[in-house]
Amino acid sequence: MLATGDFTVFVRPFTLSFPFRPSNVEKKVSQPETECPSCLGGAMFSLRALQHLSILSGASFRLFIRGIHGGIIEGGREEANSIHPTALIHQNAILGKRVSIGPFCTVGPEVQIGKACQLHAGSHVTGNTVLGDNCTVLSGAIVGADLPGRTIIGCNNVIGYHAVVGVKCQDLKYKVGDECFLIVGDNNDIREFTSIHRSSKSSDNTVIGNGNLIMGSCHIAHDCKVGNNNIFANNTLFAGHVVIEDCCHTAGAIVVHQFCHIGSYSFIGGGSVISQDVPKYMMVSGDRAEIRGLNLEGLRRNGFSSEEVQTIRKAYRKIFMSSDTTTGCFEDRLSEVEQNRELFGVSVVCSMVKSIRDSFKGTRRGICKFRHLFGSSRDYYGFS
């Protein structure tokens, strides 16, 4: 191996049997002066020469063997890693077993890479970054950044071509030197050219849950909170501090205003501009988006029973499509549903009403516009 600054260029691995000690080098090699098969730029050296290096002693020797193989010695056995000769792996980086690192990759000094991870050609993992087991980082992707704070990636994640995950946020309020964090769960598919930024301050995190499909060219800004099993189609753009709950689905080319909340099992139509909250189970679309109805297909696909769906529809009609012109304002219609034991006694209806109520608490933005059966699109409860 050849040292280049703080990095080490790993040459093609030896094949050595263990236990292996400096004292028995010549006993295990029939021709002591035989040249080692590893070379870089024509540089060759013999095992006898290695015997005289100060590194061949105790723990230092084990680190040397680990450096050549890229593996971890444990209990006298080694599960070797596959590291291309052109990869730059810092000597302080921690690699799990069966890691594969392709040509022209870089791995920084504070990086921890789990078992059976694959770094494809030209991918980079840097900063204080933890990559869980069985992750794949495809060509051109960048994970982590040399910033205070940390990026934590769970297990079984795929990070697509030229994606940028765990870098500095695009928030002018961020102060240089502040810690910033990104936490990603397990089983996420993050496709090509996606960008996911760290938090804007040390007291917050950007969080991605489990099982999400984030398609090409999506953007998840600082301090966003993404739940589980969501599907974001291409060019879905979330501004800072957006909260997306579970099992949401966005069509392509949508934008979401900062601090908005997207409720579980909702659907956002293509090209929409979301400037207010989307309650649970709703389907919205438009610029600015309006509530168009319930996401019935999404409810069916996610295992809601026909009885639950029918009860949600009854509550939805009373709140948003009341044919009784004497029912009063939006607040009165919400209260009527809450007082209806047949409806409000069903957990899914209670959850929907709570989602609507929460949208008007504190600094929340209210819900998207909706069209009343006898009114215009301006008959809504929220901001203008």
Side-chain angles (χ1 to χ4, degrees):
M1 63 179 175
L2 300 180
T4 306
D6 288 333
F7 287 88
T8 300
V9 180
F10 287 94
V11 298
R12 206 157 21 119
F14 292 102
T15 301
L16 297 173
S17 59
F18 293 90
F20 179 70
R21 300 180 179 84
S23 60
N24 62 12
V25 170
E26 296 190 22
K27 294 179 183 179
K28 292 187 177 289
V29 181
S30 57
Q31 297 179 351
E33 295 294 334
T34 299
E35 290 179 328
C36 170
S38 297
C39 63
L40 186 64
M44 307 289 286
F45 48 88
S46 67
L47 287 176
R48 174 172 288 181
L50 292 178
Q51 185 181 10
H52 296 289
L53 292 175
S54 60
I55 195 171
L56 295 182
S57 60
S60 298
F61 174 71
R62 289 193 293 273
L63 290 174
F64 172 73
I65 295 299
R66 174 181 172 178
I68 294 175
H69 284 269
I72 295 177
I73 299 171
E74 182 178 356
R77 294 183 59 191
E78 177 183 38
E79 297 188 38
N81 295 328
S82 173
I83 300 177
H84 194 274
T86 60
L88 297 177
I89 315 297
H90 195 280
Q91 60 184 357
N92 293 334
I94 299 174
L95 306 184
K97 301 174 183 177
R98 304 185 306 281
V99 170
S100 174
I101 301 179
F104 306 108
C105 295
T106 60
V107 178
E110 298 180 279
V111 171
Q112 301 177 45
I113 297 180
K115 298 177 182 178
C117 287
Q118 298 181 39
L119 273 61
H120 288 219
S123 58
H124 308 280
V125 185
T126 185
N128 189 350
T129 299
V130 177
L131 200 62
D133 297 344
N134 299 299
C135 288
T136 300
V137 183
L138 297 177
S139 296
I142 299 174
V143 181
D146 291 319
L147 298 169
R150 203 175 200 190
T151 297
I152 300 175
I153 310 293
C155 300
N156 303 307
N157 293 294
V158 177
I159 299 176
Y161 301 100
H162 300 281
V164 179
V165 177
V167 297
K168 187 176 77 170
C169 67
Q170 298 173 154
D171 187 351
L172 294 177
K173 295 190 297 296
Y174 172 75
K175 297 179 180 179
V176 176
D178 280 359
E179 290 187 324
C180 48
F181 302 93
L182 168 66
I183 301 171
V184 178
D186 303 330
N187 304 305
N188 295 289
D189 189 357
I190 302 170
R191 295 300 298 268
E192 57 276 4
F193 296 101
T194 290
S195 57
I196 303 176
H197 291 173
R198 290 200 210 175
S199 62
S200 61
K201 51 189 177 182
S202 59
S203 60
D204 209 342
N205 302 306
T206 303
V207 178
I208 312 291
N210 304 318
N212 297 290
L213 171 56
I214 304 173
M215 298 187 194
S217 300
C218 289
H219 174 64
I220 300 176
H222 57 90
D223 308 294
C224 283
K225 306 291 187 293
V226 178
N228 305 318
N229 303 310
N230 296 291
I231 300 175
F232 304 145
N234 300 66
N235 293 291
T236 292
L237 310 178
F238 295 112
H241 303 277
V242 170
V243 175
I244 306 98
E245 296 180 6
D246 299 331
C247 302
C248 301
H249 192 166
T250 72
I254 72 117
V255 297
V256 180
H257 193 280
Q258 59 262 34
F259 294 100
C260 285
H261 285 232
I262 311 299
S264 298
Y265 306 101
S266 59
F267 180 87
I268 301 175
S272 297
V273 177
I274 309 297
S275 58
Q276 295 169 265
D277 291 358
V278 178
K280 285 186 176 181
Y281 317 135
M282 303 295 169
M283 181 168 56
V284 303
S285 67
D287 178 13
R288 290 333 192 227
E290 298 179 6
I291 295 174
R292 306 290 180 172
L294 290 170
N295 181 23
L296 298 176
E297 182 62 22
L299 296 177
R300 182 187 67 80
R301 291 181 180 180
N302 284 283
F304 283 70
S305 68
S306 57
E307 291 79 9
E308 287 176 318
V309 172
Q310 289 302 319
T311 307
I312 294 172
R313 293 182 74 172
K314 288 179 183 178
Y316 177 87
R317 289 193 186 105
K318 283 187 173 293
I319 296 170
F320 297 104
M321 301 176 63
S322 176
S323 59
D324 186 356
T325 57
T326 65
T327 53
C329 66
F330 183 83
E331 172 65 27
D332 294 337
R333 298 195 294 272
L334 268 181
S335 298
E336 182 183 346
V337 170
E338 290 171 330
Q339 294 165 10
N340 187 321
R341 292 183 180 180
E342 179 185 355
L343 296 177
F344 203 67
V346 179
S347 61
V348 289
V349 173
C350 181
S351 181
M352 181 180 73
V353 173
K354 183 178 184 302
S355 176
I356 296 170
R357 288 279 191 199
D358 288 346
S359 292
F360 304 107
K361 292 181 178 179
T363 59
R364 295 277 292 272
R365 300 182 58 80
I367 64 172
C368 292
K369 298 179 181 180
F370 63 89
R371 293 180 181 270
H372 191 275
L373 189 62
F374 298 105
S376 69
S377 63
R378 293 190 63 81
D379 183 9
Y380 65 97
Y381 189 73
F383 292 92
S384 299

